[in-house]
Amino acid sequence: TISAFFVVLDGEKECFLIEQPLDTQLTIKYELPANEKTEDKRVKVTLTDRRTKTQIFSKVVSDHKSELSMATGSEAAHDLCLKPQSPGKVRVNLEIERGHGQKYYAEMASENKMDRLQVEVVKLNDELAEILNEADYMKEKEVRFHRKAERINVAAVWWPVLQIGILVLTAVLQVQSLKNYFQA
C-alpha cells in the first residue's frame, strides 16, 4: 500500500511510477477534500505503459471520495498520473493498493450469494496468486539483471586483454620503426 497527500496545480500533471507484473490488479482510493473556494473538482486519472506509451486506463473523477480498479497492461513500468480538470489547485489524498478493493469483494459476495467465510477464502486465494505472481516477476527481473551483469563482467575481462594487445602491437611497431630508422 502506498499513500500520498499532495497538491496539484491547474495545468500541471502529477505522476507516480508503478512497477508491477502483468495483469496485476490495482485499487486506487482517492479523496478530494472540500475547499471553501471550489466545490466542483475534477481530476483526470490515467495509467500509461511506459514502454509502449499506451494508455491503459483513463477516467475523469469528481466524487469527493471513491476508489478505482484497474489492471497493469504489461510487465513494464507504468505511470499513474493525475491532472486537474478544474481551475485552481486541487488537494488529493491517494492510496494505491495491489489487488481488488473491498467494493469488488462485496459485489462478488452479493452476486454469488457467498457468506463471509467464502469471501475470505477467495481473498486469500487472490492474495496467494498475487504473491506468486510477484515472486515470478522478481525472479525474471533477477535473471535479466544477472544476464546484464554477466555481459558487463565479460566486457570487463576482455577490455584489458584488448588494451594489452594494442600496447604489444604498438611496442612491436615502434621497435620495428626504430630498427629501420637506425639501419638506414
Side-chain angles (χ1 to χ4, degrees):
T1 301
I2 301 167
S3 296
F5 174 79
F6 53 93
V7 175
V8 185
L9 300 175
D10 185 26
E12 290 186 9
K13 187 193 244 185
E14 188 72 36
C15 293
F16 300 92
L17 172 70
I18 296 176
E19 191 172 0
Q20 293 291 330
L22 173 67
D23 291 331
T24 299
Q25 191 68 30
L26 298 174
T27 301
I28 298 164
K29 296 177 184 176
Y30 66 89
E31 181 178 356
L32 306 172
N35 189 343
E36 305 83 43
K37 297 176 185 171
T38 58
E39 287 298 320
D40 181 36
K41 295 180 187 176
R42 292 184 320 277
V43 176
K44 183 175 185 178
V45 179
T46 58
L47 184 69
T48 308
D49 188 326
R50 275 193 173 184
R51 188 176 357 157
T52 61
K53 304 290 185 217
T54 55
Q55 206 171 67
I56 297 166
F57 180 87
S58 180
K59 185 175 182 179
V60 176
V61 296
S62 59
D63 301 333
H64 171 64
K65 188 175 187 176
S66 188
E67 68 179 46
L68 304 169
S69 288
M70 60 190 78
T72 56
S74 71
E75 291 190 350
H78 294 75
D79 285 319
L80 176 68
C81 297
L82 293 103
K83 184 175 182 182
Q85 301 291 304
S86 52
K89 60 184 179 182
V90 177
R91 295 184 325 173
V92 180
N93 292 339
L94 188 70
E95 189 175 314
I96 303 169
E97 292 179 357
R98 193 174 66 208
H100 296 286
Q102 293 299 328
K103 192 192 298 185
Y104 171 81
Y105 291 110
E107 288 173 7
M108 178 194 291
S110 66
E111 287 175 7
N112 298 327
K113 295 179 180 37
M114 300 168 76
D115 63 7
R116 209 184 79 183
L117 185 61
Q118 290 171 321
V119 172
E120 284 300 317
V121 169
V122 170
K123 278 185 191 179
L124 289 173
N125 280 334
D126 287 350
E127 285 182 33
L128 180 61
E130 287 173 23
I131 290 168
L132 293 174
N133 194 15
E134 179 78 16
D136 289 343
Y137 177 64
M138 287 300 159
K139 189 175 178 182
E140 282 182 36
K141 276 183 76 171
E142 178 62 32
V143 167
R144 284 193 303 253
F145 177 76
H146 183 70
R147 281 191 209 127
K148 188 175 184 179
E150 286 293 321
R151 285 195 307 269
I152 291 170
N153 190 30
V154 167
V157 167
W158 285 106
W159 182 248
V161 171
L162 178 66
Q163 286 179 325
I164 291 170
I166 291 171
L167 283 173
V168 169
L169 179 66
T170 304
V172 167
L173 291 175
Q174 284 247 324
V175 168
Q176 202 65 303
S177 175
L178 286 173
K179 242 184 183 179
N180 288 343
Y181 177 73
F182 286 118
Q183 285 178 356

